[in-house]
Amino acid sequence: MLKTPAYAAAAPKSPLAPFAIERREPGPKDVLIDIRYCGVCHSDIHQARDEWYPGIFPMVPGHEIVGTVARVGSEVTKWKPGDTVGVGCFVDSCRACDACREGEEQYCGAGLVFTYNGLERDGKTPTYGGYSAHITVDQDYVLRVPATLPLDAAAPLLCAGITTYSPLRHFGVQAGDRVAVVGLGGLGHMGVKLARAMGAEVTVLSHSPRKREDALRLGAHDFVATSASDAFTANAARFDFILDTVSAPHDYNAYLGLLKRDRTMVLVGVPDPSPLSAFPLVMGRRRLAGSLIGGIAQTQEMLDFCGQHGVVSDIELIAIQQINEAWDRVVASDVRYRFVIDLATLPRE
Ligand code: NAP
Ligand code: ZN
Ligand code: ZN
């Protein structure tokens, strides 16, 4: 086993603190990665604070991992030491179910292994995420990061990037479509950049009126402050597609009214439940859908798309010692627009 320095939450809602974990020695099909940067996703906070379901503690969060291949197992064909790679939200799956065979591993019914707060396929070994020095991952769950992208700003593509890219592609957003992105945080700002790169006409809907200039700078064509009294009437039936990235409970019904007839609003944010009325769905044959990250093949497609279009995240690089303060700022919607941890700051023995 490889002793690996990390930062962990010892129990639900505990602050993160230094903690040593053990990584497995790379098996024949494994890759050992030296982690250079890891993005900070709101899901890290939801899980470490038990906001979704009881978590596995101590918890080492982090699923926006980029780094360098240090060693490979004897049967690894896809990677070699020195390669620049990424790891996203999951590190294994059953490989046999319909979802896995169709390249939608994130919906694996039989054994998706989340990068942290999960169990390996043996059903007992906890997984630990990227707030750590190294990670051992099966070669099939590793992604190639285009060399043209700055590595720190590319880290958030592994979750925020694919989580917004996947529904834009799956629901067939086309050039010229009117797309609304709700919530300008880590996911939302990637949604803006990606929808814009796909040629959509993008509007940001935000509960933070002060984000207007940023929204336009990030590529949005328009900005709606949802606190304005006429926000929902003035924009009724305006959009072809709505991507809702909001992390806190809010009124889905009001946003559904902003869709044209027969169009879809996709939830990627996972807040506590909010009441849903049939009316806005029935009155316009509108659809409300959800979407979870993306499969390995589509994640690679997204990384290559970002390489071609020069799309990365707007980040604030932090030392691991700043992580608790950074989490509080994320919860306060005060992140511009993704924190990324520089793992060189992690104390090593
Ligand atoms: P984030 O950076 O904190 O962004 C969330 C945004 O939601 C904020 O920037 C804010 O945007 C808006 N918001 C926050 N509090 C609000 C409130 N009280 N009322 C209205 N709007 C509020 O979080 P993130 O990392 O982008 O993650 C967003 C959500 O997606 C989280 O729930 C996360 O767990 C989830 N997620 C889902 C997937 C998936 O696969 N489906 C993957 C990753 C993350 P404004 O200030 O512009 O209003
Ligand atoms: Zn995430
Ligand atoms: Zn499966």
Side-chain angles (χ1 to χ4, degrees), residues 137-167:
V137 183
D138 183 288
Q139 65 167 347
D140 292 337
Y141 294 78
V142 174
L143 287 308
R144 185 176 306 279
V145 180
T148 49
L149 298 178
L151 197 56
D152 50 2
L157 300 178
L158 276 304
C159 175
I162 184 59
T163 300
T164 50
Y165 181 90
S166 183

Side-chain angles (χ1 to χ4, degrees), residues 93-97 99-100 108-111:
S93 65
C94 86
R95 305 165 195 234
C97 72
C100 285
C108 173

Side-chain angles (χ1 to χ4, degrees), residues 40-44 63-64 89 116 158-160 163 187 293 338:
V40 175
C41 180
H42 206 118
S43 303
D44 300 348
H63 58 206
E64 293 184 338
C89 299
Y116 68 87
L158 276 304
C159 175
T163 300
L187 266 55
I293 36 181
R338 199 62 145 180

Side-chain angles (χ1 to χ4, degrees), residues 124-311:
K124 56 179 191 223
T125 308
T127 55
Y128 296 116
Y131 296 12
S132 63
H134 328 280
I135 189 167
T136 309
V137 183
D138 183 288
Q139 65 167 347
D140 292 337
Y141 294 78
V142 174
L143 287 308
R144 185 176 306 279
V145 180
T148 49
L149 298 178
L151 197 56
D152 50 2
L157 300 178
L158 276 304
C159 175
I162 184 59
T163 300
T164 50
Y165 181 90
S166 183
L168 289 166
R169 284 288 190 234
H170 181 81
F171 292 93
V173 167
Q174 303 287 322
D177 280 356
R178 291 181 165 187
V179 170
V181 175
V182 187
L184 194 64
L187 266 55
H189 94 293
M190 289 313 308
V192 169
K193 291 186 185 208
L194 291 166
R196 174 77 192 234
M198 292 174 191
E201 190 189 306
V202 184
T203 300
V204 167
L205 303 174
S206 171
H207 88 307
S208 309
R210 281 174 303 172
K211 290 184 182 172
R212 174 183 293 274
E213 276 179 30
D214 282 355
L216 301 180
R217 177 179 54 78
L218 291 163
H221 299 83
D222 195 7
F223 178 91
V224 174
T226 52
S227 52
S229 57
D230 67 343
F232 290 91
T233 47
N235 294 285
R238 174 174 171 188
F239 299 108
D240 294 296
F241 185 76
I242 300 180
L243 184 63
D244 184 338
T245 75
V246 173
S247 56
H250 55 294
D251 182 8
Y252 296 138
N253 306 300
Y255 291 91
L256 282 166
L258 306 184
L259 280 176
K260 294 180 188 169
R261 174 171 50 82
D262 284 330
R263 302 304 203 275
T264 304
M265 168 160 134
V266 172
L267 307 180
V268 290
V270 192
D272 289 335
S274 300
L276 189 62
S277 160
F279 265 109
L281 296 168
V282 167
M283 296 310 284
R285 200 161 52 195
R286 298 176 175 111
R287 288 176 289 233
L288 181 64
S291 184
L292 176 69
I293 36 181
I296 292 292
Q298 196 177 44
T299 305
Q300 190 60 60
E301 177 190 307
M302 176 275 311
L303 286 165
D304 296 342
F305 178 90
C306 289
Q308 281 154 19
H309 292 265
V311 172

